Amino acid sequence: MPEAVPLSRPILAGVVTALVGFTSSFAVVLTGLDAVGADAAQAASGLLAVSLTMGLACVVLAWRYRMPITVAWSTPGAALLVATGTVEGGWSAAVGAFLVTAALILLTALWPALGALIARIPPSIAQAMLAGVLLPLCLAPITGIVANPWGVVPVVLTWLVFARLAPRWAVPLAFVAATVVVAVSLIGAGSTFDAALLLPRLEFTAPTFTVGALVGLALPLFIVTMASQNVPGIAIMRSFGYEVPWRPAMLVTGVGTALGATAGGHAINLAAISAALAASPDADPDPKRRWVAGVSTGASYLVLAVFSAAFAALVVLAPTAVIPAVAGLALFAAFGSSVQQAIDDPGERIPAVVTFLVAASGIAVLGVSAAFWALIAGLLVRTVLHAGRS
């Protein structure tokens, strides 16, 4: 009879899932919220909001369905915020766009045809748009080395060493290196900071709604969240033998996104890459006990939420280019995967390239961001090139 595995194993797997997920991409979230107009307090509130809502969503879904279902913030969505920048109407309009995104996620649960419509967007087009959105962020470590070599080089070297030795921990340890850089910088400058910045606090904003924010931010944010997180998240869980209930998952993440929106949370969704950490046999050889890892992940996110203000303060205090470099390193894998999927099919390559270039250009026409125009351009080119073909 095989030796029983202690319950501490799936619990630890959940803790690791949360730590890796949080430290790998919180800088992307803060950078994105700042880009669309949040001040330091509002960005910290947004980080707290998504940490709380995704933690609760993990616990609810994993406990209710006895599966290692994990929920994460939308990292590609946060990158989209960076690419979009300030929208018509400013921060309050961005909050309105977050609420519309939540409504669209909820609508996908209630009206399956909407999910089917999103699924009809060619994967090459969706991934090319995401790659174009990610490109400027992924360039940050390179430009940062020139702008602030003493601050950025240690971060990049740490990432490179551990990308070889312990890939899962490469980005979290790059963040640790960035923390050391910030500490040395503060000590060297004799700087002090207000301890009140370390206290987590929700800052609520009344939403407003503008056409530019709805078309240029809400719609692309919804598409990116669905195509790059929810759909792959379902597929990853299926690869480990779990059939995630689609409607309840969309309801929970949609409600969570809505609850966090006015506090600055942009979107939560099913975890994709990090989902494997809780759902694989490494978490527990017994598939029926891995749900404990999902609950543990959620509980760990709730603990990390307490320290969200401290993480946000670190970003504010960091020297030039250090935190953007960490954010860029966190997105290297996603960027590489998106490029590969975008150009994998030779017949879809030209539309994908057009989509990528328009998204990467950062253009805004009629107050609508490049991500939307990238989708339109890619689909238009694809329609023209495929017209009349069987």
Side-chain angles (χ1 to χ4, degrees), residues 150-151 154 176-191 314 317-319:
W150 294 107
V176 172
T179 305
V180 173
V181 168
V182 174
V184 170
S185 174
L186 291 175
I187 293 171
S191 302
L314 183 71
L317 297 169

Side-chain angles (χ1 to χ4, degrees), residues 336-378:
S337 175
S338 296
V339 170
Q340 180 184 15
Q341 294 178 62
I343 64 174
D344 188 52
D345 184 348
E348 302 287 347
R349 195 162 293 167
I350 295 301
V353 168
V354 171
T355 304
F356 169 78
L357 292 175
V358 174
S361 71
I363 60 168
V365 180
L366 303 175
V368 177
S369 69
F372 175 79
W373 297 117
L375 276 176
I376 298 300

Side-chain angles (χ1 to χ4, degrees), residues 23-376:
T23 58
S24 292
S25 55
F26 82 93
V28 184
V29 174
L30 291 170
T31 303
L33 295 175
D34 174 73
V36 292
D39 60 27
Q42 290 164 338
S45 172
L47 182 64
L48 173 59
V50 287
S51 300
L52 290 173
T53 52
M54 69 185 183
L56 290 172
C58 284
V59 172
V60 168
L61 289 170
W63 185 282
R64 169 64 179 82
Y65 294 100
R66 290 299 194 267
M67 297 182 194
I69 302 172
T70 51
V71 173
W73 53 51
S74 177
T75 302
L80 174 69
L81 303 187
V82 179
T84 301
T86 306
V87 295
E88 176 192 356
W91 171 241
S92 64
V95 170
F98 301 161
L99 276 172
V100 172
T101 301
L104 290 171
I105 295 172
L106 287 169
L107 189 58
T108 343
L110 302 174
W111 186 38
L114 180 58
L117 181 63
I118 296 298
R120 291 183 62 185
I121 297 176
S124 59
I125 299 292
Q127 293 300 322
M129 181 190 74
L130 177 59
V133 164
L134 296 179
L135 177 61
L137 274 171
C138 290
L139 292 174
I142 301 165
T143 57
I145 289 174
V146 177
N148 182 9
W150 294 107
V152 175
V153 168
V155 174
V156 174
L157 288 179
T158 301
W159 169 81
L160 181 59
V161 168
F162 286 97
R164 173 66 177 87
L165 299 177
R168 180 184 300 175
W169 293 98
V171 175
L173 289 172
F175 160 68
V176 172
T179 305
V180 173
V181 168
V182 174
V184 170
S185 174
L186 291 175
I187 293 171
S191 302
T192 59
F193 66 94
D194 185 357
L197 292 174
L198 303 180
L199 298 176
R201 185 176 62 186
L202 293 173
E203 296 272 347
F204 294 98
T205 300
T208 58
F209 302 94
T210 65
V211 174
L214 298 182
V215 177
L217 181 55
L219 185 58
L221 179 58
F222 169 65
I223 292 172
V224 164
T225 298
M226 294 298 296
S228 301
Q229 295 281 159
N230 284 329
V231 173
I234 292 287
I236 288 172
M237 290 293 290
R238 186 175 292 129
S239 73
F240 290 107
Y242 299 101
E243 285 295 333
V244 175
W246 174 260
R247 178 167 291 180
M250 293 303 99
L251 284 172
V252 169
T253 55
V255 168
T257 299
L259 290 175
T262 56
H266 64 298
I268 63 170
N269 44 245
L270 293 174
I273 297 174
S274 62
L277 298 177
S280 73
D282 290 338
D284 195 304
D286 183 358
K288 295 182 180 179
R289 291 209 318 170
R290 292 177 203 160
W291 66 271
V292 174
V295 173
S296 173
T297 299
S300 299
Y301 276 133
L302 294 176
V303 173
L304 287 167
V306 176
F307 300 98
S308 59
F311 285 102
L314 183 71
V315 171
V316 172
L317 297 169
T320 302
V322 172
I323 297 302
V326 176
L329 293 171
L331 294 170
F332 274 13
F335 177 74
S337 175
S338 296
V339 170
Q340 180 184 15
Q341 294 178 62
I343 64 174
D344 188 52
D345 184 348
E348 302 287 347
R349 195 162 293 167
I350 295 301
V353 168
V354 171
T355 304
F356 169 78
L357 292 175
V358 174
S361 71
I363 60 168
V365 180
L366 303 175
V368 177
S369 69
F372 175 79
W373 297 117
L375 276 176
I376 298 300

